[in-house]
Structure formats: structure tokens, C-alpha cells
Amino acid sequence: AGITMYSPMVHWKVTKGTKLGIVGLGGLGHMGLKIAHALGAEVSLFSRSKGKEAEAKSMGADKLILSDDKEQMAAVANYFDLIIDTAPNEHDISPYVECVAHDGTLVVVGLVGPTSEKLNTQPMIFKRKSVAGSVVGSIKEMQDLLDLAGKHGIGAEIEKIDIKDINEAYDRMEKSDVHYRFVIDSSTL
């Protein structure tokens, strides 16, 4: 999860003052908030749930934007230098493209496959916005991430489970009921 988020931040040169948006507060998103905060970015979380605000802020978010609130989305139109979309399910990415600034980029790291809507290219063409994808980083990026994580005390939030609970964990994952990563206790194998 860490390298999936860190690699695009390095590639698109996230530093102090970069306006970064992260879509989704799951296994990837929560690590993205922590890493972006450590890099000094102004980081915002896009979510459908107002109830995640306190948790997001405790992980480094400066603000929460409700992605299904048209006024909140309009207020951040053309604002972000970079948005990293961690949502794993099929969804419309066009609203996030609208929030990317001139010369900015939306990077998809969670969804592998088609989006639910056709992508509107107009804001991309007229404001030189880009949509890209990213999966993993290099060995050097991994080492740099580990150094950053050590320096700032960054780690994944996990829920440890016994192997006997694997089917229940899978069902919970399907319902987005995970905080934030399941880890199997190897002593229960």
C-alpha cells in the first residue's frame, strides 16, 4: 500500500505546498494521507462519508471533501496539482478530473478495468490535464519510502485476524468493512 501511494507522489514531485487530493480512505488511501503529510503536501481526502473526517485528519488530511456534494466539488474545481484515486470499484473519474488544476494529473491506482462512465476529455484538452495510472515503485523508491516511514513513524493501520476467520474477512472486505488492512496472524496457520 505504501509504495503504491509513494511512487506517484515521487514521480509527480509532491513536496511542501503541493495541493494533493486522495480519493478513498481505505488500505491505500490511509497510507497516502500519512505519506503526503510527511512530505509537506496540503492533502485533502475525497470521501462520500462525513463520518471519516476526524479519522482522516488524524492521519494527516487537512480537509475532507464530500465527493457527492456538488457545492464542495465545485469549490475545489481546477485546484489540485495531483489527485490519487484509490477507489477499487468501478466509478466515474470525470468529477475528479474537474478538480485537477491546469497541467495537473489524476492518477488511478485502485481501479483496474473500465470506469463506469465515459471520460469527458474537454477539461483535459482545454486545461492540459492528464489521467495516468500507477501500480508499484522501484527498489530505490521502496528504500526511500522505508526511510521516510521510519523517520515519521508511518505504518499501516491493520486488523489482525486468525486464519479460521479468512472467509468472514473476505466477506467484510467485499462490504468495505475493513479498517484498513487485514493481516493474518501467522501463529494461527
Side-chain angles (χ1 to χ4, degrees):
I3 193 64
T4 301
M5 298 303 291
Y6 182 72
S7 183
M9 289 185 205
V10 170
H11 182 81
W12 279 276
K13 299 173 179 46
V14 171
T15 59
K16 184 174 176 60
T18 300
K19 295 175 184 127
L20 174 65
I22 295 177
V23 179
L25 184 63
L28 293 172
H30 89 282
M31 289 299 292
L33 292 177
K34 293 177 179 189
I35 294 165
H37 180 75
L39 293 173
E42 176 194 311
V43 61
S44 300
L45 175 71
F46 288 92
S47 178
R48 294 177 309 219
S49 173
K50 175 81 171 146
K52 294 182 180 177
E53 186 169 20
E55 199 166 8
K57 287 189 174 186
S58 76
M59 294 180 189
D62 294 297
K63 65 181 171 182
L64 176 102
I65 300 158
L66 294 175
S67 57
D68 55 2
D69 183 316
K70 290 181 182 182
E71 288 181 21
Q72 287 189 29
M73 293 294 281
V76 293
N78 303 303
Y79 182 77
F80 292 96
D81 303 307
L82 180 68
I83 296 177
I84 303 176
D85 185 340
T86 73
N89 51 349
E90 190 176 304
H91 62 284
D92 184 7
I93 64 173
S94 291
Y96 303 110
V97 173
E98 292 287 342
C99 296
V100 172
H102 184 91
D103 286 328
T105 303
L106 168 67
V107 181
V108 179
V109 298
L111 174 65
V112 178
T115 62
S116 62
E117 303 290 331
K118 292 180 180 176
L119 182 60
N120 179 2
T121 61
Q122 184 175 353
M124 295 167 58
I125 292 169
F126 291 115
K127 294 190 178 163
R128 210 168 40 220
K129 298 178 181 192
S130 300
V131 175
S134 184
V135 180
V136 296
S138 67
I139 292 172
K140 180 184 181 330
E141 286 175 340
M142 179 63 81
Q143 185 58 60
D144 291 346
L145 170 60
L146 291 172
D147 293 343
L148 181 76
K151 180 179 177 182
H152 293 277
I154 297 170
E157 303 295 321
I158 66 159
E159 185 176 339
K160 195 183 301 186
I161 62 167
D162 291 349
I163 190 66
K164 67 178 177 49
D165 299 323
I166 193 75
N167 290 332
E168 178 187 339
Y170 182 82
D171 291 341
R172 286 183 51 206
M173 182 198 64
E174 289 281 302
K175 296 175 188 168
S176 298
D177 180 28
V178 183
H179 294 96
Y180 287 89
R181 293 239 164 229
F182 283 129
V183 174
I184 300 169
D185 183 347
S186 61
S187 71
T188 67
L189 296 176

